Amino acid sequence: MTPWKNQRNEGREGDPAASAIETSKAKIFMDLPPDFRDVRTPDEWIPRDGRMVRLTGRHPFNSEPPVAEIDKTRFLTPANLHIIRNHGAVPKLGWDTHKLNVGGPLVKNPMVLSMTELITTFPTTEFPMTISCCGNRRKEMNMIKQTIGFNWGNGACGNNVYRGVLLRDILQRAGVDTSDVAGKYVEFIGSDDLGNKCGGPGPFIDEPWGEKVKYGTSIPLAKCMNPADEVMVAFMANGERLHPDRGYPIRVAVPGYIGGRMIKWLSKINVIPHESHNCYHYWDNKYLPPQVTSEIAAKDGWWYKQEYIINELSLNSLITRPLHDERLPIASNIGKTMEIGGYAHSGGGRKVTRVELSIDEGVTWDLAKISREEKPNDYGKYWCWVWWTFELPVANLFGKSEVWCRAWDTSNSPQPEKPVWTLMGQSSNHIFRIKIHKDVTDAGEAVLRFEYPTQPGTQSGGWATRVEDKVKSAGYGLIEFNEQN
């Protein structure tokens, strides 16, 4: 098996570490020098693509690619430009030493598997899937009212071809009873050491939380055993071993689910008669009602109300073409069309059936052309985003102030028109809107300028940052903004 393949070290111009060697001669990805921004952090040993937008400072590393970059390759995201969500330091694990423990009270034949045993004694499978953080587009929520999460832009999503072992094959060999799955769960535990998000021992007397915890979660056993759902323990992406930031040596891959259920640096699989008691299973990835503040959530036990857990990805779409702040000269394009484009995805294996555009604030809609590069699995499930385009006559934009896009899936439901604020700022999937401005350049040329709602992280710009353009409600009453909001 090929280890990390060489990737161009773009975006590192001016990095003293990158100039220390000729990066173009690196034979494998891990030969590339670490980013100088990671020096004196626990992750200073990890090469990273310099184009990734850092969202939480130097450490931990949470980043998304610029949408201009994923728009270049569209359906298949380069592995080095795939979204990264790290809660802490990346564990430094070795292929030859890492073990996967399979156990729990419902496992008859516990196993400890080396990586070589995992990939050589089980059949392997390979197929593409989209992984998205359910915090994608969170900055739009933060411009309404601050959530408890950082500023994901609209690039917290990627699509790779994953290779691995189906979880159901592992569980069957471990002697899990496949005839009785109701009310049972499969727990996944990673190798990273994290702070206790709750701040206390938690409500489970038999499993109290200490000062340090592992990141863990669980999903229903029924889903894991269903051949239609293809839950995987993955060890490769796009034909190369997983990068350290993305779960090396193995991670869980749950097609159609949020990234938060796809535990990286997987060390334990437990089959249990209840949901995981892990701290992060409760204190992360919840879609709470908009009136629930941080204080109310802690006081009234909202973190333990599992009816608000987020598992499946929400239907979503957005525009990646034209780019934010892109300018289109009017005189030379007035008789032409311009391409509007972007991506859309659903969750749970549902097919995106259509994407629509509106330039009259939703009064009328036109169908976009969808590029379908994925075939459904044998059970009719779709695991990948689609990319879409629409040829819009430039003349039609005169007198218009916005371009909207929305997607539909096989549930025959579209994206909602208005945002609904939630404490964690997740599942932000309202209609995506870009504004159209008529400007004049310094050279006197009239242009159309396009503006996204936000830019990721601490990058400035976007119409949602201006008080006069903010939404007037988001599910919890009329909002009054001032310059400090």
Side-chain angles (χ1 to χ4, degrees), residues 132-450:
S132 176
C133 179
C134 62
N136 198 20
R137 299 179 60 186
R138 181 190 281 140
K139 191 170 182 179
E140 294 175 54
M141 290 289 185
N142 283 338
M143 294 301 100
I144 299 171
K145 184 170 70 170
Q146 183 63 46
T147 71
I148 59 173
F150 57 84
N151 287 327
W152 286 113
N154 52 13
C157 196
N159 196 63
N160 280 183
V161 176
Y162 289 93
R163 186 171 184 82
V165 176
L166 290 177
L167 178 60
R168 66 190 304 269
D169 290 340
I170 298 173
L171 298 182
Q172 285 177 334
R173 184 178 295 184
V176 175
D177 184 359
T178 60
S179 66
D180 182 16
V181 297
K184 298 176 175 61
Y185 292 82
V186 180
E187 179 183 52
F188 309 112
I189 304 294
S191 302
D192 41 345
D193 291 308
L194 306 173
N196 179 340
K197 197 168 186 178
C198 166
F204 306 109
I205 297 175
D206 56 333
E207 296 182 56
W209 302 329
E211 183 177 340
K212 291 288 186 180
V213 297
K214 305 289 187 182
Y215 195 94
T217 190
S218 63
I219 64 176
L221 175 60
K223 183 172 184 65
C224 298
M225 301 308 299
N226 187 345
D229 287 328
E230 299 184 296
V231 180
M232 179 197 296
V233 175
F235 57 88
M236 297 181 76
N238 289 0
E240 56 188 280
R241 288 185 183 177
L242 298 172
H243 296 166
D245 274 317
R246 298 170 177 91
Y248 178 81
I250 52 174
R251 71 174 301 166
V252 181
V254 188
Y257 264 35
I258 64 169
R261 304 291 163 229
M262 305 192 198
I263 300 300
K264 300 189 291 186
W265 316 296
L266 181 66
S267 64
K268 293 181 181 179
I269 296 174
N270 299 316
V271 185
I272 54 181
H274 52 73
E275 290 191 50
S276 172
H277 288 170
N278 185 273
C279 169
Y280 283 84
H281 184 67
Y282 293 89
W283 285 73
D284 204 356
N285 302 309
K286 289 285 197 306
Y287 194 85
L288 301 177
Q291 66 271 23
V292 176
T293 63
S294 183
E295 295 75 18
I296 292 173
K299 174 177 173 289
D300 296 337
W302 282 89
W303 297 115
Y304 303 101
K305 297 182 179 183
Q306 290 304 86
E307 60 266 37
Y308 299 104
I309 194 171
I310 306 172
N311 279 327
E312 293 184 354
L313 275 175
S314 298
L315 177 67
N316 215 338
S317 70
L318 51 83
I319 294 170
T320 62
R321 187 177 297 187
L323 295 172
H324 173 73
D325 240 11
E326 185 173 331
R327 289 161 169 78
L328 181 73
I330 295 174
S332 58
N333 289 282
I334 190 63
K336 301 178 183 179
T337 63
M338 69 172 295
E339 184 180 85
I340 311 291
Y343 70 79
H345 66 72
S346 190
R350 291 179 293 278
K351 179 182 181 179
V352 174
T353 54
R354 67 184 190 259
V355 178
E356 299 174 318
L357 262 71
S358 176
I359 57 173
D360 55 14
E361 299 184 354
V363 176
T364 60
W365 295 88
D366 289 304
L367 287 172
K369 179 182 178 181
I370 295 177
S371 174
R372 299 196 184 276
E373 301 193 37
E374 176 196 18
K375 293 182 179 179
N377 69 10
D378 291 344
Y379 303 88
K381 301 264 189 171
Y382 290 82
W383 303 134
C384 300
W385 60 11
V386 296
W387 284 77
W388 56 268
T389 55
F390 183 80
E391 292 295 328
L392 180 65
V394 173
N396 290 4
L397 291 173
F398 283 91
K400 307 299 183 184
S401 60
E402 295 186 352
V403 179
W404 293 10
C405 76
R406 70 180 181 188
W408 298 66
D409 64 16
T410 49
S411 68
N412 286 320
S413 296
Q415 294 169 246
E417 180 176 331
K418 296 181 179 179
V420 177
W421 187 89
T422 183
L423 179 58
M424 296 205 71
Q426 296 172 326
S427 298
S428 177
N429 74 327
H430 50 286
I431 286 173
F432 192 79
R433 301 158 47 203
I434 62 173
K435 287 191 178 291
I436 308 165
H437 303 281
K438 186 176 179 181
D439 293 346
V440 177
T441 67
D442 292 341
E445 183 179 35
V447 298
L448 295 176
R449 178 173 58 86
F450 303 93

Side-chain angles (χ1 to χ4, degrees), residues 91 93-101 112-116 189-191 247-250 264-268:
L93 306 175
W95 182 267
D96 295 328
T97 56
H98 188 65
K99 306 291 184 184
L100 174 61
N101 291 267
V112 179
L113 299 170
S114 69
M115 299 301 94
T116 299
I189 304 294
S191 302
Y248 178 81
I250 52 174
K264 300 189 291 186
W265 316 296
L266 181 66
S267 64
K268 293 181 181 179

